Amino acid sequence: MEVPLIVWIATVAGILGLLAFDFFFHVRKAHTPKLKESAVWSALYVGIALLFGVGVWMFGGSTMGTEYFAGYVTEKALSVDNLFVFLIIMASFRVPRKDQQKVLLFGIVFSLIARTGFIFLGAALINSFAWVFYIFGLILLITAGNLLKPNGHDEGSEGLVVRLARKFLPATEHYDGDKLFTMVDGKKVLTPMLLVMVAIGGTDILFALDSIPAIFGLTQNVFIVFTATVFSLLGLRQLFFLIDELLDRLIYLSYGLAAILGFIGVKLILHALHENNLPFVNDGEHVNVIEISTGTSLAVILGVLLVTIMGSVLSPKGKAKNMISGAKRHAASYVDLNYETDIAEREVIFNKMVREEAELKKLPEKYKRLIRNETEFMNLLRQAHKEHDEALERANGR
């Protein structure tokens, strides 16, 4: 179905309006969003995406509607997986908590621009060369294999983009609010804020290399590909603050995404065989193979995600890993005054760490072995307690 130009214009205008609203009313003034704020706005953005999908279904028909929801769910799941990497990058650059919103919004805007380019490039290639489906399918199968590798989100590892950013864009060690440049000894120099934005922006391009082929495996309607991708990214900033302490709990998410991407990869290759015009495959003739419907794809995607999430949430190992990672992150955040200077917020962070410590002591021995660099981990916890005791003494001495 051909989408009228006026619908394209209205959709793009609405998306730009949402981004502008997000910046001026939430991100412009640096602050650490509370759980309630993140939950309300996450629900609102998901609601907008679902209402848009209902509109697509009503005015575009059930096929377009199904394609939109299948694409949206897949892209949303991939975007949650991307949050792991964002978390590692911001921890690596020690981004102050109150400034993380601006970094994330920049990453989302950059991702929207980059993926829009990839979408139209992909559409042009598909329209001109049917064999591109073979390439897209292969990319997804390789990506699925990579997701099955252990320690795919190891906090101790830095990606290629982060290492390149550190090497070629040297910056000051300290932040100057949310400024991208600052003055040192009379010279204008980069701040880590610009560096982390470059790292996240570059990482977003890598994410698009599997994200765009995945949704083209579900639909070749450019309007559906564009809107499903955009709405999956809108609200990602709020979602980050809502579930950042639950990310480590989703220990089977990578397996679920591997299954989904592998499934879509096979679907793409089957479609490529059905549309085949390569002379060395079946003498350039179409291959009579089974094609997977979009409705079946949506059912498989939702089923895999449901099993993955339920398995992760109910897993004792997932709970243990979440406690360990949470205690480490909260201890590091507490002792790092660059990360959070607000006393009330630091107290909240410390209390979370204490609760996680108490739960860690109750863990069976086999789960305690999940702690990496145990000596370093325990020293970090002790340092957090020491600084908290000193803060209490200073407060009582006043």
Side-chain angles (χ1 to χ4, degrees):
M1 176 182 174
E2 190 69 25
V3 178
L5 179 60
I6 187 65
V7 175
W8 270 101
I9 294 173
T11 302
V12 172
I15 291 165
L16 293 175
L18 287 172
L19 288 171
F21 177 84
D22 209 15
F23 176 76
F24 286 106
F25 289 92
H26 292 104
V27 177
R28 193 175 185 183
K29 183 180 179 181
H31 71 286
T32 303
K34 303 297 183 184
L35 182 64
K36 182 179 178 181
E37 176 187 341
S38 299
V40 168
W41 286 103
S42 291
L44 181 63
Y45 276 105
V46 171
I48 291 172
L50 295 179
L51 283 174
F52 185 86
V54 171
V56 170
W57 194 298
M58 289 175 60
F59 295 102
S62 60
T63 299
M64 281 185 69
T66 305
E67 288 176 349
Y68 170 82
F69 283 113
Y72 173 74
V73 171
T74 301
E75 294 296 305
K76 197 69 174 178
L78 287 169
S79 69
V80 170
D81 190 57
N82 296 348
L83 290 181
F84 280 100
V85 183
F86 289 165
L87 186 65
I88 293 169
I89 289 174
M90 287 196 284
S92 174
F93 284 100
R94 300 170 65 194
V95 180
R97 180 74 166 172
K98 65 180 183 298
D99 294 322
Q100 289 181 2
Q101 290 198 96
K102 186 163 289 187
V103 173
L104 286 167
L105 186 60
F106 167 83
I108 291 168
V109 171
F110 187 91
S111 182
L112 287 175
I113 295 170
R115 293 186 192 206
T116 298
F118 278 119
I119 287 169
F120 286 102
L121 175 61
L125 289 172
I126 286 171
N127 289 333
S128 302
F129 310 104
W131 53 262
V132 170
F133 286 111
Y134 287 112
I135 305 298
F136 281 3
L138 184 60
I139 289 172
L140 294 184
L141 291 175
I142 292 172
T143 304
N146 288 334
L147 284 172
L148 294 176
K149 292 179 180 178
N151 305 323
H153 299 300
D154 191 348
E155 290 185 25
S157 63
E158 290 187 345
L160 175 63
V161 174
V162 175
R163 293 196 298 271
L164 289 175
R166 288 186 183 279
K167 182 176 181 180
F168 293 105
L169 294 172
T172 61
E173 293 185 5
H174 302 288
Y175 289 85
D176 185 5
D178 58 3
K179 295 179 182 177
L180 304 181
F181 298 90
T182 190
M183 300 298 292
V184 176
D185 298 329
K187 295 181 179 180
K188 196 173 186 179
V189 295
L190 305 178
T191 70
M193 182 62 70
L194 180 59
L195 199 60
V196 71
M197 285 184 173
V198 170
I200 283 186
T203 304
D204 273 325
I205 294 177
L206 299 180
F207 289 155
L209 295 179
D210 58 64
S211 169
I212 300 307
I215 193 167
F216 269 117
L218 299 168
T219 177
Q220 284 81 61
N221 186 312
V222 178
F223 182 76
I224 297 300
V225 172
F226 174 74
T227 52
T229 300
V230 169
F231 281 113
S232 73
L233 292 171
L234 290 176
L236 192 60
R237 176 185 63 79
Q238 293 86 348
L239 187 64
F240 175 86
F241 289 96
L242 180 64
I243 69 169
D244 68 334
E245 293 177 15
L246 298 176
L247 283 173
D248 295 299
R249 185 76 164 266
L250 301 177
I251 58 173
Y252 300 126
L253 180 62
S254 290
Y255 297 105
L257 290 176
I260 290 171
L261 292 181
F263 170 78
I264 298 175
V266 171
K267 183 178 186 292
L268 272 170
I269 291 174
L270 289 174
H271 181 72
L273 289 169
H274 188 268
E275 301 291 327
N276 178 66
N277 56 12
L278 293 178
F280 53 85
V281 177
N282 198 35
D283 295 325
E285 298 296 324
H286 302 326
V287 181
N288 189 21
V289 293
I290 296 173
E291 286 220 73
I292 303 169
S293 69
T294 306
T296 302
S297 298
L298 178 58
V300 170
I301 291 165
L302 289 174
V304 170
L305 284 177
L306 180 63
V307 171
T308 298
I309 293 171
M310 291 302 295
S312 296
V313 170
L314 299 176
S315 165
K317 182 180 178 181
K319 295 177 182 178
K321 189 175 180 181
N322 192 54
M323 289 174 202
I324 293 166
S325 183
K328 180 181 178 181
R329 186 163 63 249
H330 290 134
S333 301
Y334 186 84
V335 302
D336 185 1
L337 286 174
N338 187 50
Y339 177 85
E340 183 63 71
T341 56
D342 182 78
I343 299 302
E345 187 64 29
R346 290 187 78 212
E347 187 69 17
V348 170
I349 293 171
F350 181 80
N351 289 335
K352 288 179 180 177
M353 184 198 77
V354 171
R355 286 196 296 270
E356 285 155 348
E357 277 187 283
E359 292 298 321
L360 281 175
K361 292 176 182 177
K362 301 176 185 177
L363 289 178
E365 194 61 36
K366 64 177 180 179
Y367 294 130
K368 291 180 181 178
R369 298 194 192 106
L370 294 172
I371 301 174
R372 293 186 179 181
N373 302 318
E374 186 172 355
T375 301
E376 178 185 325
F377 176 75
M378 296 306 297
N379 287 339
L380 183 61
L381 294 180
R382 280 192 285 268
Q383 184 181 355
H385 278 281
K386 181 182 177 182
E387 291 198 13
H388 184 68
D389 291 341
E390 291 173 352
L392 289 178
E393 287 179 7
R394 287 193 298 270
N396 293 331
R398 290 176 181 173

